Amino acid sequence: MLRKFSTLMLTAALLTGSVAATAAFAQTAPAKQQIKITVQLNGKELPFPQDIVTENGVAYVNASTLAVALGGAAAWDSTTKSLLVSKDNKYGLRMYENNTFAYKNGKETRVANPPRPVTGGVLVPLVFIAEELGAKVSYDAKTWTYKLTTEINK
């Protein structure tokens, strides 16, 4: 009986020690710091409803927020899984989810980075869409800031 009790206590001590060691390791693991990218439009910060996402050097932002800020519009079509970005009835770009095929003003074209639907919106490549809507884009690597300049007609 004493032998079973000793074995049981030893097993419990080993299990408790391994759980405590795992918990201690988890608390000391360094957290990965994320860099906050910002976008300025004509010198003022442009807030987005979702975080700006980067992949392979391309910054993705909320399509509607960007298009409206630049005097355009953006609408997602869930049937065709496509995004239509337009401005002044003179410009239209339809891009498709997970596809580089697109239509620009009714003509077939290719885009380097397709739109990405996410909860609460659609993300698009910032520089490409901003330039398509007439903005000049520069990037300040020291402050992680994209600077857009354009005339806004409202």
Side-chain angles (χ1 to χ4, degrees):
M1 178 76 172
L2 184 59
R3 186 174 181 154
K4 284 184 181 179
F5 181 74
S6 297
T7 305
L8 183 62
M9 291 304 289
L10 179 60
T11 303
L14 288 173
L15 287 174
T16 305
S18 66
V19 170
T22 303
F25 176 76
Q27 290 176 352
T28 60
K32 188 175 182 180
Q33 183 179 5
Q34 294 200 348
I35 297 164
K36 182 166 176 10
I37 296 172
T38 58
V39 177
Q40 292 180 352
L41 175 58
N42 295 333
K44 295 180 182 177
E45 186 169 347
L46 180 59
F48 288 93
Q50 292 97 357
D51 287 339
I52 298 170
V53 176
T54 59
E55 184 177 298
N56 298 325
V58 177
Y60 291 86
V61 298
N62 181 280
S64 294
T65 302
L66 180 62
V68 169
L70 295 173
W76 177 253
D77 182 339
S78 60
T79 304
T80 61
K81 295 191 177 199
S82 66
L83 176 73
L84 176 62
V85 178
S86 61
K87 185 173 181 180
D88 298 333
N89 293 325
K90 298 176 187 172
Y91 174 82
L93 176 68
R94 182 169 299 277
M95 304 187 309
Y96 296 86
E97 177 182 12
N98 299 322
N99 197 334
T100 59
F101 178 79
Y103 288 102
K104 181 177 177 180
N105 293 331
K107 296 180 182 175
E108 291 182 15
T109 189
R110 295 280 176 188
V111 294
N113 306 93
R116 299 174 175 198
V118 296
T119 302
V122 179
L123 301 181
V124 292
L126 167 66
V127 173
F128 174 71
I129 297 298
E131 289 176 343
E132 286 291 310
L133 293 175
K136 292 182 182 167
V137 182
S138 64
Y139 178 67
D140 184 343
K142 290 179 183 177
T143 62
W144 300 85
T145 302
Y146 286 91
K147 297 179 181 182
L148 314 180
T149 54
T150 188
E151 289 183 26
I152 305 293
N153 299 325
K154 290 191 176 185

